[in-house]
Amino acid sequence: MDFFGILTMIGGLALFLYGMQVMGEGLSKVSGGKLEQLLEKLTSSKLKAVLLGMGVTVVIQSSSATTVMVVGFVNSGIMKLSQAIGIIMGANIGTTVTSWILSLSGIESSSFFIQLLKPTSFSPVLAIVGVTFLMFSKRDMLKDVAAILIGFAVLMFGMDTMSAAVKPLADVPEFTGILTAFSNPLLGLVAGLILTAVIQSSSASVGILQALCMTGSVTYGAVIPIIMGQNIGTCVTAMLSGIGASKNARRAALVHLYFNIIGTIIFMILFYTIHVFVPFLFMDDSATAAGVAVVHTIFNMFATIILLPFSKGLEKLAYLTIRDDENEQAGQPLQKEAIQILDSRFLNTPGFALEQCRTAAIDMASYAKEALFLSMGLIKEYDKKAAKRVMELENRVDRYEDELGSYLVKLSSKKLSEKDSYTVSFLLHNIGDFERISDHAVNIKEAAEEMKDKSLSFSNKASEELEVFAEAVKDIVNTSFLVFQEEDMNLVKMIEPLEEVIDYLNAELKKRHIKRLRKGKCTIEMGFILSDIITSYERVSDHCSNIGLSLLEISEDGFEAHRYIDEIREKNDPEFKDNIKRFQKRYELP
């Protein structure tokens, strides 16, 4: 092989790896995080977990991606280690599908219909369809499908280029000598391990092996140990993802490693022991691409069938390797907290990472609402435990704003669909409002504390008025938070009319307080406290209004949203006026 032959081989390899990456990204976007959500939920039995891991890997075409995702689940406490084991085993079986697809390139027949099954025959058609979608379609879904089609076409073109470049090696004695050395099980295993560890993809390394097999110089005696090594080498990705993670996440990565090592040891001992007594005649035959796919599949199915019943043993082995501290209980899952679910590993699958952000934001909203309602209750009856809980919730909401905001910024730099970009913007808009609502809860709590410390209380009339105001505020908070959670475009129209009524109540309570002050029925000191409370109430309603308007502004029908905002500000919307009248009647002051 001359210099240009080597260049062609490297170029084919580059296209092969790039095509696999583009296709994988496209598949991930099309799934929109739904596959990862299935992984999170449907792992109640070992068999179901295996089938699920296999199915997800078949779709996203990467056992490494599936395993890294599982490490993230375990790290964030979403999934127990025992649930993760089945998925890891299933991922190993699912990754064999790639080798079967690549093996189609070795089909040889004069039949027109059989020739159509060759990827080199139909991949140009897929490329044309993909490029057409990419150039002329405006829909994100079709563009993602185009990425899958173009990625597959590039992958197959790279495979074909690589195979053609290495064919002359069949006549090079030195090359055939190296391959003969790999017939030594240990050397073959190490070679497969190193190759896969470097490129961090067992599918890609098996594809390279299939390309080499097309030279006709690679025997099954060399192929089998190389495939064993490739299965161990693919564990490097998961091991790297476990660095800096929780103990259970590192254990999940170790389970992946132990599964492949133990499976390889058992398979090779059995296979070569039988070979000694009953020699396999095919060992010296030239391996084919389809033969590589068969060996790859048989090994992974064998390892799963043998080790699945002993999954508890793998779990115990991982616990023995990474022991719990004295104050930890072995086998106890991590407590699920919303901030924990924002694992950096999920950023590689933006659709799922965004769903995690939504979950965290909804929890953040519920904490802010709980803090507000507790603080409002302190006005009536002060309670130290409730006051302490308000501060705890406010601190938690502050932490959410910092961590969730940073995570969303990182997520926004990823390749997102237009819809997902809108959702990121929507969440970033609203977490600031949730944090400010919790701040107002603290202000209300401090006002209640001042009343308690100074033994002050409102008059009966003021208490009744404040109670009506508080009910209106609770109504707008509940409505806006439901709008945020469900993105309800109909319910959002209830927020602005209610906010207008709250503005009226705020002004009216201040007027009535001034009248009582003039008549000597209220003190200036109580007036300051009342002013602080109703100002906090009014500002909470303003933040609720921001939540509703942000949903309208980022909705798909952006023009209609802006027109609606203009109309309600000019008070020209009949529905808006009717809703105001309804809320005025509901929250009429005594």
Side-chain angles (χ1 to χ4, degrees), residues 228-300:
M228 302 299 105
Q230 287 171 334
N231 277 279
I232 297 173
T234 194
C235 300
V236 169
T237 310
M239 295 299 291
L240 290 174
S241 74
I243 296 173
S246 67
K247 288 185 177 182
N248 262 358
R250 298 202 301 275
R251 287 171 186 142
L254 276 176
V255 165
H256 188 215
L257 179 65
Y258 289 151
F259 168 73
N260 283 293
I261 289 175
I262 295 170
T264 297
I265 291 170
I266 294 172
F267 184 88
M268 291 184 78
I269 289 173
L270 283 174
F271 182 82
Y272 286 105
T273 301
I274 295 171
H275 180 55
V276 169
F277 297 102
V278 185
F280 296 118
L281 300 178
F282 62 83
M283 291 291 277
D284 293 324
D285 293 346
S286 295
T288 62
V292 170
V294 169
V295 173
H296 194 208
T297 304
I298 288 174
F299 166 72
N300 282 297

Side-chain angles (χ1 to χ4, degrees), residues 59-93:
V59 174
I60 66 175
Q61 290 290 293
S62 175
S63 62
S64 296
T66 304
T67 308
V68 169
M69 183 64 64
V70 167
V71 171
F73 285 147
V74 175
N75 185 55
S76 59
I78 294 172
M79 187 181 289
K80 295 178 183 177
L81 181 60
S82 56
Q83 293 173 306
I85 294 171
I87 294 174
I88 290 169
M89 292 180 178
N92 274 31
I93 298 174

